Amino acid sequence: MNDSPEPVSGNRPAFLFDLDGTLLDSVYQHVVAWHEALNEVGVTLSVWKIHRRIGMSGGLFVTALLRELETTLDEETLARLPDLHAEAFLRNYDSVRPLPGAAELLRTLTEENVQWAIATSGHRKSARHALRLLGLDEDAPLITRDQVRYAKPDPDLFLTAAERLGVDVRDSIVVGDSVWDLLAAQRARALGIGLLSGGYGREELVYAGAFRVYEDPADLLAHLDEVGVRRPL
Amino acid sequence: MNDSPEPVSGNRPAFLFDLDGTLLDSVYQHVVAWHEALNEVGVTLSVWKIHRRIGMSGGLFVTALLRELETTLDEETLARLPDLHAEAFLRNYDSVRPLPGAAELLRTLTEENVQWAIATSGHRKSARHALRLLGLDEDAPLITRDQVRYAKPDPDLFLTAAERLGVDVRDSIVVGDSVWDLLAAQRARALGIGLLSGGYGREELVYAGAFRVYEDPADLLAHLDEVGVRRPL
């Protein structure tokens, strides 16, 4: 009575991109902004521990931070944190740039008729700023936190992105800079490519399941043939 | 005619500490400050690449950055960078804190009659601020950039620190958060302990020669018996 499993298609993969640290050089600004927000409510947490949690959904991020603290925070303080972070991030936003090769990589995929989408734990409003920085149209395929029930490391963002493109997520490759992207990729049964551009170590990404690691979008673009995109020389 | 090598003494080790990222939670502020300084002279460099060079001597740091750039910088611009960095760092200095357990670790070593010194690629002036943050006296054993010919990853800072303590560097343990600390430790024939508190991955530190890796000073303090400091229960 078992259905035979659907065979793996070997189709040309679609690419599902994380945003912060993967296409946009914004991870350190987010880290510093969370550090400032926590300081404002009287919480001192080592900066590297914040860095290691970035890319999770806001809810899980706060749960993870609380686990590190010896004190608890009252509901009201917890509720203020996301806004304090957003304000601190805006103060540093001028220094945010696209990562090298980000716009060119997306353009190349489009030219090669390879489907792609962006799936971010961030909210629609800030993600739209990002589209502008990357020189993308407003209707570029973009899935944000507010469109799914659970953000990374749950797979919903990537599942929804694949659905939006009309592709099987198992034919897709997730590109992300954080452990949470790669865990979500595994949960979704997609392959994961890690990028070092979010500041995590190569092995952290490999141990989280990356089947290949590149430095940044430019490095991935230079090696697209390694991950299923054959282009004429 | 060969002298026989001096036997390894098995003495209780002395501890030679890096400062930024090892005792002080200041790496990310330094990273962001270098990013701002480079932006001010019109150079865009990905933030993670700056992070991976922090802890080198200023001269090597600039050489390493130039290798990443496609343009060169004129002498005058290069000469401005250290001051621009120092100014940007001071703007973020309010958020710099001792790392968890840093002051307690040093106090415990002193109580246990274990010798220690701090050896930093930073300059005397900023290192003295750091001593105050750590609650240390002005005459705490401190070796800074201006006292040696070459900074990390050359071994001079740690060699000079051991000499200052009157110990054999081969009986010493270097504690640092960056690859450059651990390479310098190997050059000096000291053992190296890596701390994750500078934001590098565990394996980056192991591959650079760390014989043990802890999270931060508090974690090292809790495991001092693993690295040669036996204390009564």
Side-chain angles (χ1 to χ4, degrees):
Chain A
M1 291 292 286
N2 281 342
D3 290 330
S4 357
E6 243 179 276
V8 171
S9 73
N11 279 344
R12 215 179 209 206
F15 284 77
L16 311 177
F17 290 95
D18 168 58
L19 181 57
D20 290 295
T22 298
L23 296 170
L24 222 54
D25 195 4
S26 52
V27 165
Y28 289 77
Q29 291 89 335
H30 273 298
V31 170
V32 167
W34 275 114
H35 191 239
E36 286 179 28
L38 288 164
N39 276 346
E40 283 174 53
V41 300
V43 170
T44 303
L45 190 68
S46 303
V47 189
W48 73 281
K49 290 201 170 179
I50 299 173
H51 187 189
R52 286 317 186 264
R53 299 296 164 187
I54 288 283
M56 291 181 127
S57 75
L60 281 184
F61 180 80
V62 170
T63 307
L65 294 186
L66 289 180
R67 193 162 48 209
E68 302 287 345
L69 296 175
E70 286 170 19
T71 55
T72 53
L73 292 176
D74 60 84
E75 287 293 322
E76 198 190 328
T77 307
L78 283 176
R80 281 175 60 209
L81 277 176
D83 282 345
L84 290 173
H85 164 261
E87 285 161 27
F89 183 67
L90 277 180
R91 286 197 292 275
N92 298 312
Y93 195 74
D94 280 351
S95 66
V96 171
R97 301 276 184 284
L99 279 160
E104 199 184 345
L105 172 61
L106 298 179
R107 204 161 52 233
T108 302
L109 292 175
T110 301
E111 283 165 12
E112 296 291 329
N113 297 312
V114 175
Q115 296 200 80
W116 59 266
I118 299 172
T120 171
S121 291
H123 284 260
R124 186 112 205 136
K125 199 173 149 194
S126 53
R128 283 173 63 167
H129 283 293
L131 292 186
R132 269 199 296 279
L133 274 180
L134 291 164
L136 295 171
D137 291 338
E138 287 223 352
D139 60 352
L142 170 70
I143 309 297
T144 52
R145 176 73 189 91
D146 21 287
Q147 289 170 268
V148 297
R149 174 123 188 235
Y150 296 118
K152 305 164 197 170
D154 282 289
D156 306 33
L157 280 161
F158 295 123
L159 294 174
T160 306
E163 206 173 305
R164 160 88 187 262
L165 296 178
V167 300
D168 188 331
V169 74
R170 294 168 299 178
D171 288 330
S172 302
I173 293 183
V174 162
V175 185
D177 67 299
S178 86
V179 161
W180 318 112
D181 295 312
L182 296 165
L183 296 183
Q186 292 203 70
R187 297 271 304 277
R189 305 299 187 273
L191 289 181
I193 289 177
L195 298 188
L196 299 177
S197 39
Y200 305 93
R202 180 180 297 271
E203 296 75 18
E204 294 179 86
L205 303 181
V206 171
Y207 295 168
F211 95 114
R212 201 83 180 115
V213 175
Y214 299 99
E215 287 206 343
D216 56 18
D219 191 29
L220 169 56
L221 174 59
H223 296 90
L224 271 180
D225 54 311
E226 293 183 351
V227 294
V229 183
R230 289 166 196 273
R231 288 189 288 164
L233 285 177
Chain B
M1 295 289 288
N2 281 341
D3 289 331
S4 357
E6 244 178 273
V8 171
S9 73
N11 279 345
R12 214 178 209 207
F15 285 77
L16 311 177
F17 290 95
D18 168 58
L19 182 57
D20 291 294
T22 298
L23 297 171
L24 222 54
D25 195 4
S26 52
V27 165
Y28 289 78
Q29 291 89 336
H30 274 297
V31 169
V32 167
W34 274 114
H35 191 239
E36 286 179 28
L38 289 165
N39 275 345
E40 283 174 52
V41 300
V43 170
T44 303
L45 190 69
S46 303
V47 188
W48 73 281
K49 290 202 170 176
I50 298 173
H51 187 190
R52 286 319 186 262
R53 300 295 164 187
I54 289 281
M56 290 181 128
S57 74
L60 281 183
F61 180 80
V62 169
T63 307
L65 294 185
L66 289 179
R67 192 161 49 208
E68 302 287 344
L69 297 175
E70 285 169 19
T71 54
T72 54
L73 291 176
D74 60 85
E75 287 292 322
E76 197 190 329
T77 307
L78 283 176
R80 282 175 59 209
L81 277 176
D83 281 346
L84 290 174
H85 164 261
E87 286 161 27
F89 183 66
L90 276 181
R91 285 197 293 275
N92 298 311
Y93 195 76
D94 279 352
S95 67
V96 170
R97 300 276 184 286
L99 279 160
E104 200 184 343
L105 172 61
L106 298 178
R107 203 162 51 233
T108 302
L109 291 175
T110 301
E111 283 164 13
E112 297 291 329
N113 296 312
V114 175
Q115 295 199 80
W116 58 266
I118 298 172
T120 171
S121 291
H123 283 259
R124 188 110 205 137
K125 199 173 149 193
S126 53
R128 283 173 64 168
H129 283 293
L131 292 186
R132 268 198 297 279
L133 274 181
L134 291 164
L136 295 171
D137 290 338
E138 287 224 349
D139 60 352
L142 170 69
I143 308 296
T144 50
R145 176 71 189 92
D146 20 289
Q147 289 170 267
V148 297
R149 174 123 188 234
Y150 296 117
K152 303 164 198 172
D154 282 288
D156 306 32
L157 280 160
F158 295 124
L159 294 175
T160 306
E163 205 173 305
R164 160 86 188 263
L165 295 178
V167 300
D168 188 332
V169 74
R170 294 167 299 178
D171 288 330
S172 302
I173 293 182
V174 162
V175 184
D177 66 300
S178 86
V179 160
W180 318 112
D181 294 312
L182 296 165
L183 296 182
Q186 292 202 69
R187 295 270 305 277
R189 304 299 187 274
L191 289 180
I193 290 177
L195 298 188
L196 298 177
S197 39
Y200 306 92
R202 180 180 296 272
E203 296 75 18
E204 294 179 85
L205 302 181
V206 171
Y207 295 167
F211 95 113
R212 201 82 180 115
V213 175
Y214 298 101
E215 287 206 342
D216 56 19
D219 191 29
L220 170 56
L221 174 59
H223 296 90
L224 271 180
D225 54 311
E226 294 182 351
V227 294
V229 183
R230 289 165 195 275
R231 288 189 288 164
L233 286 176

